Amino acid sequence: EAAGDYGEELDYTITGIDAGAGIMSGAEQALEDYGLEDWSVQASSDAAMTQALADAYENEEPIIVTGWTPHWKFSDFDLKFLEDPELSFGEAEDIETFVRQDLQDDEPEAYEVLDNFNWEGEHMNEVMLEINEGADEDEAARNWVEENEDLVSEWTDGVDEVDGGEIELVLVAWDSEIASTNVVGAVLEDIGYDVTLTPLEANQMFQAVADGQADGMVAAWLPTTHDHLVEDFGDDLDSLGVNLEGAQTGLVVPEYMDIDSIEDLQ
Ligand code: PBE
């Protein structure tokens, strides 16, 4: 199949996720950088995107999605990132933790755990896969925490238990962030906090922590995906650095598709 045919077959549509996601701006940037004026990116959600991907995959039909790793879809399907020589999506990303500016004074134990939180893509993937196989988000996170005592004890090392403080973590309902936020929430509960997880749009997630309405988040993708949000809110945030290295965003297609680069869509 010639690459040109994919445009017609797909109605020149890339299957996106929530409009506020950084990867949606990346995809718009790619359309511009590669001169793909005929194409558009359709907003949906992580759940709807993966459902569309699963449906296409089952029938070996073409599909182009805004994709990222860590994400369980790479475990369930044979997928590839389209090469991005113009770097519309930037290079490798890290995931970073930000908290509200007074958290260290107000809740030093929670601050310490959030500061120590650091894991690998493989760990995140284990939690995501269990959720995707039907486990409750909180239960999958708890199971993972139990099975990874050694790593978790590095996050809580020297941290005193607390008697009933409250912590609110904010996230966007991307599968990767559902996994990480539930794991951190479970660890904070284990040292005695009453933890609330609140799903928001990306912009609101940053805003809530900057305003001090929420305590923190572990969901900032940098240096590219959320750079505009850090520009807007970074001055009012306390940055706790990287919690996961080597993430990636881009356009993702099934291996059976006969294209390798975003340029092939021209
Ligand atoms: N993501 C997953 C987010 C960051 C985490 C790549 C979908 C985004 O595009 O904003």
Side-chain angles (χ1 to χ4, degrees):
E1 187 155 28
D5 296 345
Y6 288 135
E8 281 193 9
E9 251 182 287
L10 294 172
D11 212 7
Y12 296 93
T13 303
I14 291 163
T15 304
I17 56 167
D18 44 295
I23 203 171
M24 295 294 280
S25 322
E28 294 293 348
Q29 186 63 48
L31 298 189
E32 202 177 308
D33 293 346
Y34 294 90
L36 303 173
E37 295 88 5
D38 297 343
W39 287 79
S40 63
V41 188
Q42 176 152 33
S44 65
S45 66
D46 186 356
M49 176 273 286
T50 48
Q51 186 58 53
L53 181 60
D55 292 345
Y57 196 84
E58 200 171 313
N59 299 310
E60 263 201 52
E61 284 166 358
I63 185 166
I64 305 173
V65 302
T66 56
W68 63 98
T69 169
H71 194 290
W72 60 267
K73 60 185 176 287
F74 283 90
S75 304
D76 278 21
F77 313 118
D78 280 329
L79 303 173
K80 58 188 174 189
F81 276 99
L82 293 181
E83 286 158 27
D84 174 22
E86 300 286 345
L87 298 180
S88 306
F89 292 92
E91 297 188 79
E93 294 272 276
D94 294 324
I95 309 179
E96 302 194 15
T97 302
F98 288 90
V99 298
R100 68 178 169 89
Q101 280 184 331
D102 292 332
L103 186 69
Q104 184 166 26
D105 289 338
D106 296 345
E107 301 292 348
E109 294 83 4
Y111 182 92
E112 191 72 21
V113 170
L114 284 158
D115 198 16
N116 291 339
F117 171 56
N118 189 284
W119 64 346
E120 316 237 326
E122 209 180 298
H123 300 132
M124 185 188 248
N125 204 39
E126 288 163 4
V127 181
M128 273 190 276
L129 280 172
E130 196 175 331
I131 296 170
N132 189 48
E133 280 158 18
D136 192 72
E137 293 163 5
D138 177 60
E139 180 194 326
R142 297 219 144 268
N143 290 342
W144 189 91
V145 167
E146 265 170 43
E147 284 157 22
N148 291 271
E149 262 173 43
D150 286 355
L151 181 56
V152 172
S153 69
E154 290 175 21
W155 309 339
T156 56
D157 189 34
V159 179
D160 293 329
E161 298 215 345
V162 297
D163 189 11
E166 285 179 20
I167 291 293
E168 180 177 2
L169 300 178
V170 280
L171 70 152
V172 184
W174 301 310
D175 289 326
S176 36
E177 280 50 45
I178 289 171
S180 54
T181 313
N182 274 274
V183 163
V184 174
V187 174
L188 290 170
E189 271 175 7
D190 285 345
I191 63 166
Y193 282 104
D194 190 350
V195 178
T196 311
L197 308 187
T198 307
L200 297 171
E201 298 289 320
N203 190 66
Q204 297 171 335
M205 169 175 76
F206 275 80
Q207 175 129 44
V209 180
D211 289 351
Q213 282 169 358
D215 294 301
M217 56 147 156
V218 295
W221 284 49
L222 295 163
T224 305
T225 308
H226 295 152
D227 60 342
H228 59 294
L229 294 170
V230 170
E231 225 166 83
D232 289 351
F233 300 108
D235 287 349
D236 297 319
L237 297 168
D238 186 352
S239 163
L240 299 186
V242 172
N243 64 56
L244 186 149
E245 280 178 17
Q248 193 184 345
T249 68
L251 296 185
V252 169
V253 302
E255 278 283 0
Y256 55 73
M257 280 178 71
D258 197 16
I259 46 171
D260 294 308
S261 169
I262 304 176
E263 288 172 308
D264 297 339
L265 299 174
Q266 281 161 355

